[in-house]
mmCIF file of all heavy atoms in Angstrom:
data_model
loop_
_atom_site.group_PDB
_atom_site.id
_atom_site.type_symbol
_atom_site.label_atom_id
_atom_site.label_comp_id
_atom_site.label_asym_id
_atom_site.label_seq_id
_atom_site.Cartn_x
_atom_site.Cartn_y
_atom_site.Cartn_z
ATOM 1 N N ASP A 1 -77.146 -70.560 27.788
ATOM 2 C CA ASP A 1 -78.541 -70.848 28.113
ATOM 3 C C ASP A 1 -78.781 -71.040 29.607
ATOM 4 O O ASP A 1 -79.932 -71.098 30.036
ATOM 5 C CB ASP A 1 -79.014 -72.114 27.386
ATOM 6 C CG ASP A 1 -79.070 -71.941 25.888
ATOM 7 O OD1 ASP A 1 -79.510 -70.875 25.436
ATOM 8 O OD2 ASP A 1 -78.662 -72.874 25.170
ATOM 9 N N ILE A 2 -77.711 -71.174 30.399
ATOM 10 C CA ILE A 2 -77.912 -71.467 31.815
ATOM 11 C C ILE A 2 -77.833 -70.182 32.645
ATOM 12 O O ILE A 2 -77.314 -69.165 32.201
ATOM 13 C CB ILE A 2 -76.896 -72.503 32.332
ATOM 14 C CG1 ILE A 2 -75.461 -71.973 32.218
ATOM 15 C CG2 ILE A 2 -77.046 -73.814 31.589
ATOM 16 C CD1 ILE A 2 -74.429 -72.881 32.862
ATOM 17 N N ASP A 3 -78.369 -70.261 33.854
ATOM 18 C CA ASP A 3 -78.378 -69.097 34.735
ATOM 19 C C ASP A 3 -77.523 -69.361 35.970
ATOM 20 O O ASP A 3 -76.739 -70.315 36.016
ATOM 21 C CB ASP A 3 -79.815 -68.731 35.112
ATOM 22 C CG ASP A 3 -80.563 -69.875 35.791
ATOM 23 O OD1 ASP A 3 -79.900 -70.797 36.330
ATOM 24 O OD2 ASP A 3 -81.803 -69.845 35.806
ATOM 25 N N ALA A 4 -77.694 -68.526 36.986
ATOM 26 C CA ALA A 4 -76.863 -68.636 38.193
ATOM 27 C C ALA A 4 -77.106 -69.928 38.952
ATOM 28 O O ALA A 4 -76.255 -70.354 39.737
ATOM 29 C CB ALA A 4 -77.126 -67.434 39.108
ATOM 30 N N TYR A 5 -78.253 -70.566 38.722
ATOM 31 C CA TYR A 5 -78.564 -71.828 39.388
ATOM 32 C C TYR A 5 -78.040 -73.038 38.613
ATOM 33 O O TYR A 5 -78.316 -74.181 38.958
ATOM 34 C CB TYR A 5 -80.073 -71.976 39.589
ATOM 35 C CG TYR A 5 -80.681 -70.920 40.481
ATOM 36 C CD1 TYR A 5 -82.018 -70.558 40.349
ATOM 37 C CD2 TYR A 5 -79.928 -70.277 41.467
ATOM 38 C CE1 TYR A 5 -82.588 -69.596 41.172
ATOM 39 C CE2 TYR A 5 -80.489 -69.312 42.291
ATOM 40 C CZ TYR A 5 -81.821 -68.973 42.142
ATOM 41 O OH TYR A 5 -82.380 -68.019 42.955
ATOM 42 N N LEU A 6 -77.325 -72.771 37.520
ATOM 43 C CA LEU A 6 -76.725 -73.810 36.676
ATOM 44 C C LEU A 6 -77.762 -74.709 36.026
ATOM 45 O O LEU A 6 -77.496 -75.880 35.752
ATOM 46 C CB LEU A 6 -75.711 -74.645 37.477
ATOM 47 C CG LEU A 6 -74.533 -73.857 38.071
ATOM 48 C CD1 LEU A 6 -73.591 -74.804 38.817
ATOM 49 C CD2 LEU A 6 -73.776 -73.093 36.990
ATOM 50 N N HIS A 7 -78.954 -74.165 35.795
ATOM 51 C CA HIS A 7 -79.925 -74.874 34.967
ATOM 52 C C HIS A 7 -80.405 -73.930 33.866
ATOM 53 O O HIS A 7 -80.100 -72.736 33.878
ATOM 54 C CB HIS A 7 -81.087 -75.437 35.793
ATOM 55 C CG HIS A 7 -81.966 -74.397 36.432
ATOM 56 N ND1 HIS A 7 -82.940 -74.702 37.340
ATOM 57 C CD2 HIS A 7 -82.019 -73.041 36.292
ATOM 58 C CE1 HIS A 7 -83.566 -73.601 37.717
ATOM 59 N NE2 HIS A 7 -83.030 -72.586 37.100
ATOM 60 N N THR A 8 -81.128 -74.480 32.915
ATOM 61 C CA THR A 8 -81.529 -73.705 31.749
ATOM 62 C C THR A 8 -82.415 -72.532 32.156
ATOM 63 O O THR A 8 -83.403 -72.700 32.870
ATOM 64 C CB THR A 8 -82.275 -74.600 30.742
ATOM 65 O OG1 THR A 8 -81.458 -75.731 30.440
ATOM 66 C CG2 THR A 8 -82.576 -73.845 29.461
ATOM 67 N N ASN A 9 -82.047 -71.359 31.688
ATOM 68 C CA ASN A 9 -82.802 -70.148 31.970
ATOM 69 C C ASN A 9 -84.185 -70.230 31.335
ATOM 70 O O ASN A 9 -84.347 -70.745 30.226
ATOM 71 C CB ASN A 9 -82.028 -68.943 31.409
ATOM 72 C CG ASN A 9 -82.646 -67.619 31.775
ATOM 73 O OD1 ASN A 9 -83.724 -67.279 31.321
ATOM 74 N ND2 ASN A 9 -81.950 -66.867 32.598
ATOM 75 N N TRP A 10 -85.186 -69.698 32.026
ATOM 76 C CA TRP A 10 -86.553 -69.783 31.505
ATOM 77 C C TRP A 10 -86.699 -69.074 30.170
ATOM 78 O O TRP A 10 -87.474 -69.498 29.306
ATOM 79 C CB TRP A 10 -87.540 -69.214 32.525
ATOM 80 C CG TRP A 10 -87.493 -67.735 32.724
ATOM 81 C CD1 TRP A 10 -86.631 -67.033 33.511
ATOM 82 C CD2 TRP A 10 -88.347 -66.757 32.118
ATOM 83 N NE1 TRP A 10 -86.885 -65.693 33.441
ATOM 84 C CE2 TRP A 10 -87.949 -65.488 32.592
ATOM 85 C CE3 TRP A 10 -89.422 -66.820 31.228
ATOM 86 C CZ2 TRP A 10 -88.565 -64.307 32.207
ATOM 87 C CZ3 TRP A 10 -90.037 -65.640 30.844
ATOM 88 C CH2 TRP A 10 -89.620 -64.410 31.325
ATOM 89 N N GLN A 11 -85.931 -68.003 29.977
ATOM 90 C CA GLN A 11 -86.014 -67.283 28.707
ATOM 91 C C GLN A 11 -85.431 -68.100 27.564
ATOM 92 O O GLN A 11 -85.866 -67.964 26.416
ATOM 93 C CB GLN A 11 -85.296 -65.945 28.834
ATOM 94 C CG GLN A 11 -85.971 -64.979 29.793
ATOM 95 C CD GLN A 11 -85.145 -63.731 30.043
ATOM 96 O OE1 GLN A 11 -83.923 -63.798 30.169
ATOM 97 N NE2 GLN A 11 -85.800 -62.597 30.110
ATOM 98 N N SER A 12 -84.460 -68.959 27.874
ATOM 99 C CA SER A 12 -83.896 -69.821 26.831
ATOM 100 C C SER A 12 -84.933 -70.818 26.335
ATOM 101 O O SER A 12 -84.977 -71.134 25.146
ATOM 102 C CB SER A 12 -82.659 -70.553 27.364
ATOM 103 O OG SER A 12 -81.609 -69.642 27.639
ATOM 104 N N TYR A 13 -85.778 -71.299 27.250
ATOM 105 C CA TYR A 13 -86.846 -72.204 26.825
ATOM 106 C C TYR A 13 -87.789 -71.504 25.845
ATOM 107 O O TYR A 13 -88.242 -72.108 24.859
ATOM 108 C CB TYR A 13 -87.645 -72.696 28.037
ATOM 109 C CG TYR A 13 -86.968 -73.784 28.835
ATOM 110 C CD1 TYR A 13 -86.625 -73.579 30.163
ATOM 111 C CD2 TYR A 13 -86.685 -75.020 28.269
ATOM 112 C CE1 TYR A 13 -86.025 -74.578 30.914
ATOM 113 C CE2 TYR A 13 -86.085 -76.030 29.001
ATOM 114 C CZ TYR A 13 -85.755 -75.800 30.325
ATOM 115 O OH TYR A 13 -85.147 -76.793 31.061
ATOM 116 N N VAL A 14 -88.089 -70.239 26.122
ATOM 117 C CA VAL A 14 -88.920 -69.471 25.187
ATOM 118 C C VAL A 14 -88.225 -69.394 23.829
ATOM 119 O O VAL A 14 -88.855 -69.553 22.773
ATOM 120 C CB VAL A 14 -89.196 -68.064 25.732
ATOM 121 C CG1 VAL A 14 -89.997 -67.238 24.713
ATOM 122 C CG2 VAL A 14 -89.953 -68.136 27.058
ATOM 123 N N GLY A 15 -86.912 -69.149 23.845
ATOM 124 C CA GLY A 15 -86.142 -69.103 22.599
ATOM 125 C C GLY A 15 -86.178 -70.426 21.851
ATOM 126 O O GLY A 15 -86.286 -70.442 20.610
ATOM 127 N N PHE A 16 -86.105 -71.534 22.567
ATOM 128 C CA PHE A 16 -86.177 -72.852 21.925
ATOM 129 C C PHE A 16 -87.529 -73.029 21.221
ATOM 130 O O PHE A 16 -87.605 -73.595 20.123
ATOM 131 C CB PHE A 16 -85.982 -73.972 22.954
ATOM 132 C CG PHE A 16 -84.637 -73.971 23.632
ATOM 133 C CD1 PHE A 16 -84.489 -74.503 24.898
ATOM 134 C CD2 PHE A 16 -83.517 -73.443 23.003
ATOM 135 C CE1 PHE A 16 -83.254 -74.511 25.534
ATOM 136 C CE2 PHE A 16 -82.275 -73.445 23.626
ATOM 137 C CZ PHE A 16 -82.147 -73.974 24.896
ATOM 138 N N CYS A 17 -88.595 -72.566 21.874
ATOM 139 C CA CYS A 17 -89.920 -72.663 21.260
ATOM 140 C C CYS A 17 -89.984 -71.831 19.981
ATOM 141 O O CYS A 17 -90.538 -72.273 18.961
ATOM 142 C CB CYS A 17 -90.993 -72.185 22.241
ATOM 143 S SG CYS A 17 -91.267 -73.278 23.648
ATOM 144 N N MET A 18 -89.417 -70.642 20.020
ATOM 145 C CA MET A 18 -89.445 -69.785 18.840
ATOM 146 C C MET A 18 -88.609 -70.377 17.712
ATOM 147 O O MET A 18 -88.985 -70.291 16.530
ATOM 148 C CB MET A 18 -88.942 -68.384 19.195
ATOM 149 C CG MET A 18 -89.801 -67.650 20.221
ATOM 150 S SD MET A 18 -91.556 -67.579 19.761
ATOM 151 C CE MET A 18 -91.466 -66.567 18.279
ATOM 152 N N GLU A 19 -87.482 -70.989 18.048
ATOM 153 C CA GLU A 19 -86.669 -71.649 17.022
ATOM 154 C C GLU A 19 -87.441 -72.791 16.375
ATOM 155 O O GLU A 19 -87.401 -72.977 15.149
ATOM 156 C CB GLU A 19 -85.374 -72.162 17.644
ATOM 157 C CG GLU A 19 -84.401 -71.055 18.048
ATOM 158 C CD GLU A 19 -83.218 -71.594 18.827
ATOM 159 O OE1 GLU A 19 -83.118 -72.832 18.973
ATOM 160 O OE2 GLU A 19 -82.398 -70.780 19.298
ATOM 161 N N ALA A 20 -88.146 -73.567 17.197
ATOM 162 C CA ALA A 20 -88.951 -74.660 16.655
ATOM 163 C C ALA A 20 -90.081 -74.129 15.790
ATOM 164 O O ALA A 20 -90.408 -74.703 14.737
ATOM 165 C CB ALA A 20 -89.516 -75.503 17.804
ATOM 166 N N PHE A 21 -90.689 -73.018 16.219
ATOM 167 C CA PHE A 21 -91.773 -72.421 15.452
ATOM 168 C C PHE A 21 -91.294 -72.017 14.062
ATOM 169 O O PHE A 21 -91.916 -72.353 13.041
ATOM 170 C CB PHE A 21 -92.340 -71.219 16.201
ATOM 171 C CG PHE A 21 -93.267 -70.370 15.377
ATOM 172 C CD1 PHE A 21 -94.533 -70.817 15.062
ATOM 173 C CD2 PHE A 21 -92.869 -69.126 14.925
ATOM 174 C CE1 PHE A 21 -95.395 -70.036 14.296
ATOM 175 C CE2 PHE A 21 -93.713 -68.341 14.160
ATOM 176 C CZ PHE A 21 -94.988 -68.795 13.851
ATOM 177 N N TYR A 22 -90.176 -71.286 13.983
ATOM 178 C CA TYR A 22 -89.703 -70.814 12.683
ATOM 179 C C TYR A 22 -89.114 -71.950 11.848
ATOM 180 O O TYR A 22 -89.125 -71.880 10.614
ATOM 181 C CB TYR A 22 -88.696 -69.681 12.863
ATOM 182 C CG TYR A 22 -89.385 -68.379 13.212
ATOM 183 C CD1 TYR A 22 -89.307 -67.849 14.497
ATOM 184 C CD2 TYR A 22 -90.157 -67.707 12.267
ATOM 185 C CE1 TYR A 22 -89.966 -66.668 14.822
ATOM 186 C CE2 TYR A 22 -90.809 -66.537 12.585
ATOM 187 C CZ TYR A 22 -90.719 -66.021 13.862
ATOM 188 O OH TYR A 22 -91.382 -64.861 14.184
ATOM 189 N N ASP A 23 -88.643 -72.992 12.492
ATOM 190 C CA ASP A 23 -88.229 -74.176 11.754
ATOM 191 C C ASP A 23 -89.433 -74.793 11.051
ATOM 192 O O ASP A 23 -89.346 -75.242 9.903
ATOM 193 C CB ASP A 23 -87.585 -75.186 12.709
ATOM 194 C CG ASP A 23 -86.968 -76.373 11.981
ATOM 195 O OD1 ASP A 23 -86.108 -76.153 11.098
ATOM 196 O OD2 ASP A 23 -87.336 -77.523 12.289
ATOM 197 N N ASN A 24 -90.564 -74.778 11.749
ATOM 198 C CA ASN A 24 -91.815 -75.240 11.145
ATOM 199 C C ASN A 24 -92.237 -74.346 9.988
ATOM 200 O O ASN A 24 -92.665 -74.824 8.933
ATOM 201 C CB ASN A 24 -92.928 -75.254 12.197
ATOM 202 C CG ASN A 24 -93.046 -76.585 12.901
ATOM 203 O OD1 ASN A 24 -93.159 -77.623 12.269
ATOM 204 N ND2 ASN A 24 -92.999 -76.557 14.221
ATOM 205 N N VAL A 25 -92.143 -73.032 10.202
ATOM 206 C CA VAL A 25 -92.559 -72.080 9.167
ATOM 207 C C VAL A 25 -91.736 -72.284 7.899
ATOM 208 O O VAL A 25 -92.273 -72.301 6.779
ATOM 209 C CB VAL A 25 -92.418 -70.632 9.681
ATOM 210 C CG1 VAL A 25 -92.591 -69.636 8.530
ATOM 211 C CG2 VAL A 25 -93.451 -70.355 10.776
ATOM 212 N N LEU A 26 -90.430 -72.443 8.055
ATOM 213 C CA LEU A 26 -89.562 -72.618 6.891
ATOM 214 C C LEU A 26 -89.859 -73.924 6.158
ATOM 215 O O LEU A 26 -89.578 -74.049 4.965
ATOM 216 C CB LEU A 26 -88.094 -72.589 7.331
ATOM 217 C CG LEU A 26 -87.589 -71.221 7.829
ATOM 218 C CD1 LEU A 26 -86.173 -71.342 8.374
ATOM 219 C CD2 LEU A 26 -87.638 -70.184 6.710
ATOM 220 N N LYS A 27 -90.433 -74.864 6.869
ATOM 221 C CA LYS A 27 -90.802 -76.140 6.251
ATOM 222 C C LYS A 27 -92.280 -76.169 5.864
ATOM 223 O O LYS A 27 -92.828 -77.236 5.591
ATOM 224 C CB LYS A 27 -90.475 -77.292 7.208
ATOM 225 C CG LYS A 27 -88.974 -77.440 7.475
ATOM 226 C CD LYS A 27 -88.686 -78.537 8.485
ATOM 227 C CE LYS A 27 -87.180 -78.662 8.724
ATOM 228 N NZ LYS A 27 -86.856 -79.679 9.751
ATOM 229 N N ASN A 28 -92.910 -74.986 5.875
ATOM 230 C CA ASN A 28 -94.316 -74.828 5.471
ATOM 231 C C ASN A 28 -95.287 -75.616 6.346
ATOM 232 O O ASN A 28 -96.367 -75.995 5.897
ATOM 233 C CB ASN A 28 -94.495 -75.234 3.998
ATOM 234 C CG ASN A 28 -93.742 -74.315 3.062
ATOM 235 O OD1 ASN A 28 -93.727 -73.102 3.248
ATOM 236 N ND2 ASN A 28 -93.099 -74.905 2.062
ATOM 237 N N GLN A 29 -94.911 -75.824 7.602
ATOM 238 C CA GLN A 29 -95.798 -76.518 8.533
ATOM 239 C C GLN A 29 -96.798 -75.545 9.160
ATOM 240 O O GLN A 29 -97.964 -75.848 9.278
ATOM 241 C CB GLN A 29 -94.959 -77.184 9.642
ATOM 242 C CG GLN A 29 -93.929 -78.174 9.133
ATOM 243 C CD GLN A 29 -94.492 -79.570 8.968
ATOM 244 O OE1 GLN A 29 -95.602 -79.858 9.414
ATOM 245 N NE2 GLN A 29 -93.730 -80.448 8.331
ATOM 246 N N PHE A 30 -96.299 -74.367 9.569
ATOM 247 C CA PHE A 30 -97.143 -73.365 10.204
ATOM 248 C C PHE A 30 -97.234 -72.114 9.331
ATOM 249 O O PHE A 30 -97.206 -70.985 9.817
ATOM 250 C CB PHE A 30 -96.574 -72.973 11.580
ATOM 251 C CG PHE A 30 -96.602 -74.070 12.605
ATOM 252 C CD1 PHE A 30 -95.737 -74.029 13.687
ATOM 253 C CD2 PHE A 30 -97.479 -75.124 12.503
ATOM 254 C CE1 PHE A 30 -95.746 -75.028 14.642
ATOM 255 C CE2 PHE A 30 -97.500 -76.133 13.441
ATOM 256 C CZ PHE A 30 -96.635 -76.089 14.518
ATOM 257 N N SER A 31 -97.347 -72.293 8.046
ATOM 258 C CA SER A 31 -97.313 -71.151 7.129
ATOM 259 C C SER A 31 -98.443 -70.161 7.390
ATOM 260 O O SER A 31 -98.320 -68.968 7.110
ATOM 261 C CB SER A 31 -97.381 -71.640 5.679
ATOM 262 O OG SER A 31 -98.549 -72.441 5.475
ATOM 263 N N GLY A 32 -99.550 -70.617 7.949
ATOM 264 C CA GLY A 32 -100.670 -69.728 8.211
ATOM 265 C C GLY A 32 -100.380 -68.690 9.276
ATOM 266 O O GLY A 32 -101.059 -67.668 9.360
ATOM 267 N N ALA A 33 -99.361 -68.951 10.119
ATOM 268 C CA ALA A 33 -99.029 -68.019 11.192
ATOM 269 C C ALA A 33 -97.951 -67.032 10.784
ATOM 270 O O ALA A 33 -97.666 -66.089 11.522
ATOM 271 C CB ALA A 33 -98.576 -68.795 12.432
ATOM 272 N N MET A 34 -97.350 -67.226 9.630
ATOM 273 C CA MET A 34 -96.249 -66.354 9.214
ATOM 274 C C MET A 34 -96.732 -64.926 8.997
ATOM 275 O O MET A 34 -97.751 -64.686 8.347
ATOM 276 C CB MET A 34 -95.620 -66.887 7.922
ATOM 277 C CG MET A 34 -94.354 -66.170 7.513
ATOM 278 S SD MET A 34 -93.058 -66.362 8.740
ATOM 279 C CE MET A 34 -91.737 -65.444 7.965
ATOM 280 N N GLY A 35 -96.005 -63.961 9.554
ATOM 281 C CA GLY A 35 -96.331 -62.562 9.366
ATOM 282 C C GLY A 35 -97.381 -62.026 10.309
ATOM 283 O O GLY A 35 -97.685 -60.831 10.292
ATOM 284 N N LYS A 36 -97.950 -62.857 11.165
ATOM 285 C CA LYS A 36 -98.952 -62.404 12.123
ATOM 286 C C LYS A 36 -98.285 -61.940 13.414
ATOM 287 O O LYS A 36 -97.202 -62.402 13.775
ATOM 288 C CB LYS A 36 -99.948 -63.530 12.420
ATOM 289 C CG LYS A 36 -100.798 -63.932 11.225
ATOM 290 C CD LYS A 36 -101.812 -65.004 11.605
ATOM 291 C CE LYS A 36 -102.692 -65.381 10.424
ATOM 292 N NZ LYS A 36 -103.693 -66.421 10.778
ATOM 293 N N CYS A 37 -98.943 -61.048 14.107
ATOM 294 C CA CYS A 37 -98.391 -60.488 15.340
ATOM 295 C C CYS A 37 -98.763 -61.369 16.540
ATOM 296 O O CYS A 37 -99.883 -61.880 16.636
ATOM 297 C CB CYS A 37 -98.925 -59.083 15.567
ATOM 298 S SG CYS A 37 -98.422 -57.902 14.291
ATOM 299 N N LEU A 38 -97.812 -61.517 17.449
ATOM 300 C CA LEU A 38 -98.027 -62.345 18.632
ATOM 301 C C LEU A 38 -99.064 -61.712 19.552
ATOM 302 O O LEU A 38 -98.989 -60.528 19.891
ATOM 303 C CB LEU A 38 -96.699 -62.526 19.382
ATOM 304 C CG LEU A 38 -96.728 -63.445 20.603
ATOM 305 C CD1 LEU A 38 -97.010 -64.884 20.175
ATOM 306 C CD2 LEU A 38 -95.408 -63.375 21.355
ATOM 307 N N GLU A 39 -100.032 -62.516 19.965
ATOM 308 C CA GLU A 39 -101.081 -62.044 20.874
ATOM 309 C C GLU A 39 -100.819 -62.492 22.311
ATOM 310 O O GLU A 39 -101.011 -61.721 23.257
ATOM 311 C CB GLU A 39 -102.444 -62.566 20.412
ATOM 312 C CG GLU A 39 -103.591 -62.146 21.312
ATOM 313 C CD GLU A 39 -104.934 -62.663 20.818
ATOM 314 O OE1 GLU A 39 -104.977 -63.349 19.778
ATOM 315 O OE2 GLU A 39 -105.955 -62.375 21.484
ATOM 316 N N SER A 40 -100.383 -63.731 22.481
ATOM 317 C CA SER A 40 -100.133 -64.228 23.838
ATOM 318 C C SER A 40 -99.126 -65.367 23.818
ATOM 319 O O SER A 40 -98.966 -66.062 22.806
ATOM 320 C CB SER A 40 -101.440 -64.709 24.491
ATOM 321 O OG SER A 40 -101.965 -65.824 23.786
ATOM 322 N N PHE A 41 -98.446 -65.521 24.946
ATOM 323 C CA PHE A 41 -97.529 -66.643 25.131
ATOM 324 C C PHE A 41 -97.590 -67.029 26.602
ATOM 325 O O PHE A 41 -97.503 -66.184 27.486
ATOM 326 C CB PHE A 41 -96.097 -66.265 24.767
ATOM 327 C CG PHE A 41 -95.125 -67.419 24.818
ATOM 328 C CD1 PHE A 41 -94.844 -68.149 23.671
ATOM 329 C CD2 PHE A 41 -94.510 -67.790 26.005
ATOM 330 C CE1 PHE A 41 -93.977 -69.227 23.718
ATOM 331 C CE2 PHE A 41 -93.644 -68.863 26.063
ATOM 332 C CZ PHE A 41 -93.367 -69.582 24.910
ATOM 333 N N GLU A 42 -97.760 -68.324 26.856
ATOM 334 C CA GLU A 42 -97.751 -68.795 28.238
ATOM 335 C C GLU A 42 -96.958 -70.091 28.326
ATOM 336 O O GLU A 42 -96.886 -70.864 27.367
ATOM 337 C CB GLU A 42 -99.166 -68.995 28.780
ATOM 338 C CG GLU A 42 -100.019 -70.006 28.051
ATOM 339 C CD GLU A 42 -101.400 -70.146 28.679
ATOM 340 O OE1 GLU A 42 -101.498 -70.067 29.939
ATOM 341 O OE2 GLU A 42 -102.377 -70.334 27.939
#
């Protein structure tokens, strides 16, 4: 997860968010978003 500066890579943070999102989906927290296409991420 770290880069040449020895801190967490920005892309890894995006991955952490996606892991949390699908953890929610599997627990039926964000079931309304399942199967929808991504429109934006910031």
Side-chain angles (χ1 to χ4, degrees):
D1 293 319
I2 62 173
D3 58 21
Y5 297 153
L6 300 181
H7 66 189
T8 306
N9 186 292
W10 70 278
Q11 293 172 320
S12 294
Y13 282 118
V14 177
F16 297 153
C17 290
M18 297 307 295
E19 290 172 4
F21 168 73
Y22 283 108
D23 187 56
N24 269 307
V25 169
L26 291 174
K27 295 177 180 177
N28 295 319
Q29 302 273 349
F30 294 157
S31 56
M34 188 62 179
K36 294 183 178 180
C37 296
L38 184 66
E39 179 179 0
S40 64
F41 185 94
E42 61 179 323

